[in-house]
Amino acid sequence: MRVRMRVTISGTRDGEPWPERGSVVDLPDDEAKAMVAGGLAEEASNEPAEEQAVNPAEPEKATGRRGKPMTKSTVEK
């Protein structure tokens, strides 16, 4: 089953680093379903495998409670 990674996982799988966030990878069905259920990946049917994946998604940016970007002064308050 092909899935698109929603997060970057540290460590390795079968001796290889996990694909970056946004990459598509082919996993065994049971493993893929568990990752989708856990929110770590989403189904990516009919998309290229990891070798041909598009650029990973932009990293998320932390925002304050009011939706403004976090700054040092915001954190110190």
Side-chain angles (χ1 to χ4, degrees), residues 8-52:
T8 299
I9 299 175
S10 63
T12 60
R13 179 186 178 278
D14 294 334
E16 295 291 323
W18 278 95
E20 294 291 322
R21 177 179 178 223
S23 297
V24 176
V25 62
D26 198 10
L27 297 173
D29 287 347
D30 58 335
E31 186 176 357
K33 288 176 183 178
M35 291 188 70
V36 169
L40 301 175
E42 59 192 11
E43 284 192 54
S45 58
N46 299 326
E47 294 191 26
E50 179 184 4
E51 299 82 46
Q52 302 168 351

